[in-house]
PDB file of all heavy atoms in Angstrom:
ATOM      1  N   TRP A  46     101.765 109.680 103.144  1.00  0.00           N
ATOM      2  CA  TRP A  46     101.888 110.682 104.144  1.00  0.00           C
ATOM      3  C   TRP A  46     101.648 110.067 105.587  1.00  0.00           C
ATOM      4  O   TRP A  46     101.473 108.825 105.736  1.00  0.00           O
ATOM      5  CB  TRP A  46     100.956 111.850 103.895  1.00  0.00           C
ATOM      6  CG  TRP A  46     101.266 112.544 102.548  1.00  0.00           C
ATOM      7  CD1 TRP A  46     100.430 112.345 101.547  1.00  0.00           C
ATOM      8  CD2 TRP A  46     102.390 113.162 102.099  1.00  0.00           C
ATOM      9  NE1 TRP A  46     100.933 113.035 100.348  1.00  0.00           N
ATOM     10  CE2 TRP A  46     102.173 113.511 100.729  1.00  0.00           C
ATOM     11  CE3 TRP A  46     103.561 113.546 102.814  1.00  0.00           C
ATOM     12  CZ2 TRP A  46     103.211 114.284 100.003  1.00  0.00           C
ATOM     13  CZ3 TRP A  46     104.486 114.419 102.010  1.00  0.00           C
ATOM     14  CH2 TRP A  46     104.224 114.708 100.743  1.00  0.00           C
ATOM     15  N   SER A  84      93.653 118.838 102.350  1.00  0.00           N
ATOM     16  CA  SER A  84      93.898 118.226 101.022  1.00  0.00           C
ATOM     17  C   SER A  84      92.937 117.150 100.541  1.00  0.00           C
ATOM     18  O   SER A  84      93.003 116.589  99.505  1.00  0.00           O
ATOM     19  CB  SER A  84      95.256 117.437 100.885  1.00  0.00           C
ATOM     20  OG  SER A  84      96.362 118.549 101.296  1.00  0.00           O
ATOM     21  N   ASP A 100      88.123 114.340  94.079  1.00  0.00           N
ATOM     22  CA  ASP A 100      88.305 113.240  93.121  1.00  0.00           C
ATOM     23  C   ASP A 100      88.689 111.933  94.013  1.00  0.00           C
ATOM     24  O   ASP A 100      89.336 112.159  94.999  1.00  0.00           O
ATOM     25  CB  ASP A 100      89.583 113.601  92.332  1.00  0.00           C
ATOM     26  CG  ASP A 100      89.591 114.770  91.460  1.00  0.00           C
ATOM     27  OD1 ASP A 100      88.358 115.107  91.150  1.00  0.00           O
ATOM     28  OD2 ASP A 100      90.473 115.353  91.180  1.00  0.00           O
ATOM     29  N   ILE A 179     102.668 122.685  93.661  1.00  0.00           N
ATOM     30  CA  ILE A 179     102.279 122.236  94.913  1.00  0.00           C
ATOM     31  C   ILE A 179     103.493 122.314  95.886  1.00  0.00           C
ATOM     32  O   ILE A 179     104.486 121.954  95.489  1.00  0.00           O
ATOM     33  CB  ILE A 179     101.920 120.648  94.764  1.00  0.00           C
ATOM     34  CG1 ILE A 179     100.704 120.575  94.050  1.00  0.00           C
ATOM     35  CG2 ILE A 179     101.793 120.091  96.137  1.00  0.00           C
ATOM     36  CD1 ILE A 179     100.182 119.054  93.887  1.00  0.00           C
ATOM     37  N   HIS A 184     101.012 118.829 100.997  1.00  0.00           N
ATOM     38  CA  HIS A 184      99.810 118.221 100.433  1.00  0.00           C
ATOM     39  C   HIS A 184      99.750 116.846 100.837  1.00  0.00           C
ATOM     40  O   HIS A 184     100.803 116.084 100.985  1.00  0.00           O
ATOM     41  CB  HIS A 184      99.874 118.433  98.939  1.00  0.00           C
ATOM     42  CG  HIS A 184     101.229 117.955  98.393  1.00  0.00           C
ATOM     43  ND1 HIS A 184     101.326 116.577  97.934  1.00  0.00           N
ATOM     44  CD2 HIS A 184     102.477 118.434  98.237  1.00  0.00           C
ATOM     45  CE1 HIS A 184     102.652 116.451  97.499  1.00  0.00           C
ATOM     46  NE2 HIS A 184     103.271 117.539  97.613  1.00  0.00           N
ATOM     47  N   ASP A 185      98.670 116.319 101.184  1.00  0.00           N
ATOM     48  CA  ASP A 185      98.552 114.991 101.755  1.00  0.00           C
ATOM     49  C   ASP A 185      97.318 114.182 101.252  1.00  0.00           C
ATOM     50  O   ASP A 185      96.660 113.646 101.968  1.00  0.00           O
ATOM     51  CB  ASP A 185      98.670 115.044 103.302  1.00  0.00           C
ATOM     52  CG  ASP A 185      97.940 116.146 103.852  1.00  0.00           C
ATOM     53  OD1 ASP A 185      96.958 116.732 103.130  1.00  0.00           O
ATOM     54  OD2 ASP A 185      98.026 116.480 105.022  1.00  0.00           O
ATOM     55  N   THR A 186      97.168 114.210  99.955  1.00  0.00           N
ATOM     56  CA  THR A 186      96.290 113.287  99.327  1.00  0.00           C
ATOM     57  C   THR A 186      96.524 111.818  99.844  1.00  0.00           C
ATOM     58  O   THR A 186      97.676 111.497  99.902  1.00  0.00           O
ATOM     59  CB  THR A 186      96.545 113.233  97.826  1.00  0.00           C
ATOM     60  OG1 THR A 186      96.151 114.546  97.326  1.00  0.00           O
ATOM     61  CG2 THR A 186      95.721 112.104  97.044  1.00  0.00           C
ATOM     62  N   THR A 204      91.016 112.811  97.247  1.00  0.00           N
ATOM     63  CA  THR A 204      91.719 113.996  97.454  1.00  0.00           C
ATOM     64  C   THR A 204      90.640 115.232  97.104  1.00  0.00           C
ATOM     65  O   THR A 204      89.812 115.062  96.404  1.00  0.00           O
ATOM     66  CB  THR A 204      92.900 114.088  96.508  1.00  0.00           C
ATOM     67  OG1 THR A 204      93.652 115.376  96.620  1.00  0.00           O
ATOM     68  CG2 THR A 204      92.497 114.147  94.956  1.00  0.00           C
ATOM     69  N   SER A 205      91.044 116.443  97.564  1.00  0.00           N
ATOM     70  CA  SER A 205      90.447 117.696  97.115  1.00  0.00           C
ATOM     71  C   SER A 205      91.315 118.309  96.012  1.00  0.00           C
ATOM     72  O   SER A 205      91.024 119.429  95.516  1.00  0.00           O
ATOM     73  CB  SER A 205      90.160 118.730  98.275  1.00  0.00           C
ATOM     74  OG  SER A 205      91.335 118.830  98.973  1.00  0.00           O
ATOM     75  N   GLY A 206      92.476 117.741  95.688  1.00  0.00           N
ATOM     76  CA  GLY A 206      93.252 118.147  94.683  1.00  0.00           C
ATOM     77  C   GLY A 206      94.035 119.345  94.902  1.00  0.00           C
ATOM     78  O   GLY A 206      94.273 119.650  96.125  1.00  0.00           O
ATOM     79  N   MET A 207      94.744 119.879  93.957  1.00  0.00           N
ATOM     80  CA  MET A 207      95.537 121.003  94.173  1.00  0.00           C
ATOM     81  C   MET A 207      94.799 122.209  94.699  1.00  0.00           C
ATOM     82  O   MET A 207      93.741 122.562  94.198  1.00  0.00           O
ATOM     83  CB  MET A 207      96.134 121.399  92.715  1.00  0.00           C
ATOM     84  CG  MET A 207      97.176 122.555  92.741  1.00  0.00           C
ATOM     85  SD  MET A 207      97.546 122.994  91.074  1.00  0.00           S
ATOM     86  CE  MET A 207      98.277 121.495  90.556  1.00  0.00           C
ATOM     87  N   ARG A 214      89.328 121.690  87.084  1.00  0.00           N
ATOM     88  CA  ARG A 214      90.660 120.859  87.031  1.00  0.00           C
ATOM     89  C   ARG A 214      90.434 119.470  87.808  1.00  0.00           C
ATOM     90  O   ARG A 214      89.878 119.419  88.790  1.00  0.00           O
ATOM     91  CB  ARG A 214      91.704 121.593  87.721  1.00  0.00           C
ATOM     92  CG  ARG A 214      93.112 120.822  87.697  1.00  0.00           C
ATOM     93  CD  ARG A 214      93.366 120.138  88.995  1.00  0.00           C
ATOM     94  NE  ARG A 214      94.732 119.568  89.062  1.00  0.00           N
ATOM     95  CZ  ARG A 214      95.252 118.765  89.870  1.00  0.00           C
ATOM     96  NH1 ARG A 214      94.462 118.374  90.819  1.00  0.00           N
ATOM     97  NH2 ARG A 214      96.460 118.390  89.829  1.00  0.00           N
ATOM     98  N   GLY A 216      92.825 116.034  88.733  1.00  0.00           N
ATOM     99  CA  GLY A 216      94.048 115.514  88.849  1.00  0.00           C
ATOM    100  C   GLY A 216      94.198 114.084  88.533  1.00  0.00           C
ATOM    101  O   GLY A 216      93.401 113.439  87.765  1.00  0.00           O
ATOM    102  N   ASP A 217      95.216 113.455  89.076  1.00  0.00           N
ATOM    103  CA  ASP A 217      95.488 112.088  88.863  1.00  0.00           C
ATOM    104  C   ASP A 217      94.715 111.192  89.695  1.00  0.00           C
ATOM    105  O   ASP A 217      94.439 109.952  89.332  1.00  0.00           O
ATOM    106  CB  ASP A 217      96.918 111.756  89.079  1.00  0.00           C
ATOM    107  CG  ASP A 217      97.266 112.075  90.549  1.00  0.00           C
ATOM    108  OD1 ASP A 217      96.965 113.177  90.964  1.00  0.00           O
ATOM    109  OD2 ASP A 217      97.860 111.239  91.289  1.00  0.00           O
ATOM    110  N   SER A 218      94.267 111.758  90.817  1.00  0.00           N
ATOM    111  CA  SER A 218      93.795 110.844  91.874  1.00  0.00           C
ATOM    112  C   SER A 218      92.471 109.977  91.498  1.00  0.00           C
ATOM    113  O   SER A 218      92.411 108.823  91.924  1.00  0.00           O
ATOM    114  CB  SER A 218      93.429 111.608  93.132  1.00  0.00           C
ATOM    115  OG  SER A 218      94.592 112.341  93.519  1.00  0.00           O
ATOM    116  N   ALA A 236      99.554 107.002  94.207  1.00  0.00           N
ATOM    117  CA  ALA A 236     100.389 108.343  94.029  1.00  0.00           C
ATOM    118  C   ALA A 236      99.987 109.472  94.788  1.00  0.00           C
ATOM    119  O   ALA A 236      98.778 109.487  95.157  1.00  0.00           O
ATOM    120  CB  ALA A 236     100.364 108.745  92.534  1.00  0.00           C
ATOM    121  N   THR A 237     100.903 110.370  95.082  1.00  0.00           N
ATOM    122  CA  THR A 237     100.527 111.606  95.672  1.00  0.00           C
ATOM    123  C   THR A 237     101.468 112.606  94.938  1.00  0.00           C
ATOM    124  O   THR A 237     102.571 112.261  94.483  1.00  0.00           O
ATOM    125  CB  THR A 237     100.657 111.716  97.178  1.00  0.00           C
ATOM    126  OG1 THR A 237     100.333 112.994  97.577  1.00  0.00           O
ATOM    127  CG2 THR A 237     102.067 111.480  97.703  1.00  0.00           C
ATOM    128  N   GLY A 238     101.169 113.890  94.924  1.00  0.00           N
ATOM    129  CA  GLY A 238     101.991 114.912  94.332  1.00  0.00           C
ATOM    130  C   GLY A 238     101.360 115.584  93.308  1.00  0.00           C
ATOM    131  O   GLY A 238     100.127 115.565  93.124  1.00  0.00           O
ATOM    132  N   LEU A 239     102.133 116.297  92.494  1.00  0.00           N
ATOM    133  CA  LEU A 239     101.486 116.995  91.340  1.00  0.00           C
ATOM    134  C   LEU A 239     100.836 115.993  90.356  1.00  0.00           C
ATOM    135  O   LEU A 239     101.522 115.358  89.617  1.00  0.00           O
ATOM    136  CB  LEU A 239     102.724 117.843  90.621  1.00  0.00           C
ATOM    137  CG  LEU A 239     102.099 118.650  89.472  1.00  0.00           C
ATOM    138  CD1 LEU A 239     101.297 119.784  90.048  1.00  0.00           C
ATOM    139  CD2 LEU A 239     103.247 119.393  88.794  1.00  0.00           C
ATOM    140  N   GLY A 240      99.514 116.256  90.303  1.00  0.00           N
ATOM    141  CA  GLY A 240      98.780 115.238  89.525  1.00  0.00           C
ATOM    142  C   GLY A 240      99.064 115.312  88.028  1.00  0.00           C
ATOM    143  O   GLY A 240      98.898 114.302  87.326  1.00  0.00           O
ATOM    144  N   GLU A 241      99.406 116.529  87.600  1.00  0.00           N
ATOM    145  CA  GLU A 241      99.617 116.604  86.126  1.00  0.00           C
ATOM    146  C   GLU A 241     100.800 115.703  85.694  1.00  0.00           C
ATOM    147  O   GLU A 241     100.815 115.098  84.655  1.00  0.00           O
ATOM    148  CB  GLU A 241      99.910 118.052  85.800  1.00  0.00           C
ATOM    149  CG  GLU A 241      98.666 119.018  85.563  1.00  0.00           C
ATOM    150  CD  GLU A 241      97.989 119.182  87.014  1.00  0.00           C
ATOM    151  OE1 GLU A 241      98.474 118.859  87.999  1.00  0.00           O
ATOM    152  OE2 GLU A 241      96.886 119.729  86.959  1.00  0.00           O
TER     153      GLU A 241
HETATM  154  N1  LIG B 401      97.773 114.415  93.395  1.00  0.00           N
HETATM  155  C1  LIG B 401      96.803 115.286  93.770  1.00  0.00           C
HETATM  156  C2  LIG B 401      96.301 115.995  92.739  1.00  0.00           C
HETATM  157  O1  LIG B 401      97.121 116.389  91.776  1.00  0.00           O
HETATM  158  C3  LIG B 401      97.423 116.165  94.900  1.00  0.00           C
HETATM  159  C4  LIG B 401      98.095 115.641  95.923  1.00  0.00           C
HETATM  160  O2  LIG B 401      98.645 114.542  95.947  1.00  0.00           O
HETATM  161  O3  LIG B 401      98.429 116.484  96.890  1.00  0.00           O
HETATM  162  O4  LIG B 401      95.168 116.346  92.511  1.00  0.00           O
END
Side-chain angles (χ1 to χ4, degrees):
W46 305 107
S84 303
D100 298 336
I179 289 179
H184 52 94
D185 40 14
T186 289
T204 190
S205 52
M207 185 191 291
R214 182 264 189 189
D217 60 310
S218 304
T237 182
L239 185 66
E241 281 69 10

